[in-house]
Amino acid sequence: MTTRKPIAVGTNDSAQSRAAVLWAARRAENAGLPLVILHVVDDRWVAEPYPFIGVLEEAGDKLLESASVRVRESFPTTTITTRLLTGSVGGSLAKYSGKASMMVVGSGTFHLGGSLADRALQVAASSKVPVAVVGTQDLDGRAGVVVGVDGSKESTQAVAFAAAEADREGEELTVLYAISAPDPVTDAGLTPGSLAEFMVEEERVVLSETVAGLRENYPDLVVHQVLDTDRGPVDALVDAAAGARTLVVGSRGRGGIKRLLLGSTAHGVLKHLPCPTIITRVESAKNKN
């Protein structure tokens, strides 16, 4: 019998990480999966002359116990375990992700060592599984799943993930493609006046091809196709997801350099997090379960 991998969530007991723990616990309960709550003792405190590692480990154990007690009060049927890790925060969580089905972090969980998004970006860039980044937004009254696309393999798989998400949650799906079409006024004399219209129609075909097959796989799923030619992808996605329950983006997009593990769109969205955002991973035939 194959054991389904748990959902793992990192915490340091900040407001954002507490929200992430509850979001992960609710997802684990709905999916019938176990939950693992993680805390990382930064290994900068292990080296001399810092004699604080024992104190930090004890504090970490207490933090994890408090987190698990809070979760059990709201989700008594969920199997919950805790793990105290030692090492770099981003690296430790990314490494642990190989044991999980999803890694969840708070948007401001890792304040030390960089901006609020930097450590979440590290985890999202290096994780072996999808990463959900959760902020402190009130989720009451929100509806819908939004996914960003650009015609790449990464975004096509993000659409498949988002469609399954929306169908499971009984939500509508918005598939958004933001492009920058040339301005026929500023381009006057350099390109045909119909170039912008031609490009928009070409990209509309890309959008249609990206959602092809969703109706067959999810006949009851309401899908909205949005082609935004006025703004860049980050602004368009942040605005579209302002009232959504979930935003889904691929780890990289079309034109991305393979050595860059996280695309500029995902990077920008995480720095302006509109709602719980899931960064999907590219799946190859050999690593699909």
Side-chain angles (χ1 to χ4, degrees):
M1 180 177 177
T2 302
T3 301
R4 300 179 69 190
K5 290 184 176 181
I7 292 175
V9 56
T11 184
N12 70 348
D13 208 34
S14 66
Q16 293 91 338
S17 66
R18 287 196 296 272
V21 169
L22 290 177
W23 188 92
R26 185 173 295 106
R27 187 181 185 90
E29 180 186 58
N30 292 341
L33 293 174
L35 177 71
V36 180
I37 306 175
L38 308 170
H39 176 70
V40 182
V41 175
D42 196 315
D43 62 1
R44 288 178 297 176
W45 301 106
V46 177
E48 296 293 342
Y50 301 111
F52 308 128
I53 185 64
V55 174
L56 291 174
E57 289 178 337
E58 182 178 353
D61 285 332
K62 291 180 179 179
L63 184 155
L64 288 172
E65 177 59 26
S66 295
S68 66
V69 168
R70 285 196 300 270
V71 171
R72 287 190 179 95
E73 290 176 351
S74 300
F75 305 95
T77 63
T78 301
T79 300
I80 304 166
T81 57
T82 62
R83 282 290 305 274
L84 185 68
L85 307 177
T86 301
S88 67
V89 177
S92 295
L93 293 180
K95 182 178 180 180
Y96 192 90
S97 69
K99 303 177 182 180
S101 60
M102 173 177 283
M103 179 63 67
V104 184
V105 295
S107 60
T109 298
F110 315 117
H111 184 69
L112 292 175
S115 69
L116 293 181
D118 283 349
R119 295 298 175 86
L121 286 168
Q122 290 176 21
V123 178
S126 304
S127 174
K128 301 175 178 64
V129 296
V131 175
V133 182
V134 180
T136 56
Q137 297 94 345
D138 185 357
L139 300 184
D140 289 343
R142 289 173 172 261
V145 175
V146 177
V147 58
V149 303
D150 61 6
S152 66
K153 179 173 67 173
E154 287 84 354
S155 72
T156 299
Q157 293 190 356
V159 168
F161 183 100
E165 186 86 3
D167 186 68
R168 182 175 55 250
E169 298 296 325
E171 298 284 355
E172 297 184 1
L173 176 66
T174 297
V175 182
L176 186 148
Y177 185 11
I179 63 171
S180 297
D183 187 334
V185 175
T186 59
D187 289 343
L190 299 177
T191 60
S194 61
L195 177 59
E197 181 180 350
F198 173 78
M199 289 187 65
V200 168
E201 289 306 312
E202 286 290 300
E203 301 300 358
R204 200 179 302 279
V205 171
V206 172
L207 178 58
S208 297
E209 291 176 344
T210 301
V211 302
L214 292 186
R215 185 177 298 279
E216 179 180 351
N217 295 328
Y218 306 101
D220 297 326
L221 178 63
V222 177
V223 180
H224 305 281
Q225 298 182 47
V226 178
L227 184 65
D228 190 318
T229 61
D230 297 324
R231 296 168 294 180
V234 173
D235 290 339
L237 285 170
V238 169
D239 183 60
R245 293 192 64 82
T246 309
L247 171 62
V248 179
V249 294
S251 56
R252 282 192 300 266
R254 188 168 63 183
I257 301 173
K258 291 302 180 183
R259 62 183 172 82
L260 298 178
L261 297 180
L262 197 69
S264 59
T265 298
H267 191 148
V269 166
L270 292 189
K271 287 194 170 183
H272 302 87
L273 195 74
C275 64
T277 298
I278 300 174
I279 311 297
T280 61
R281 316 307 304 174
V282 176
E283 295 184 20
S284 62
K286 68 179 181 179
N287 64 18
K288 285 185 179 179
N289 292 330

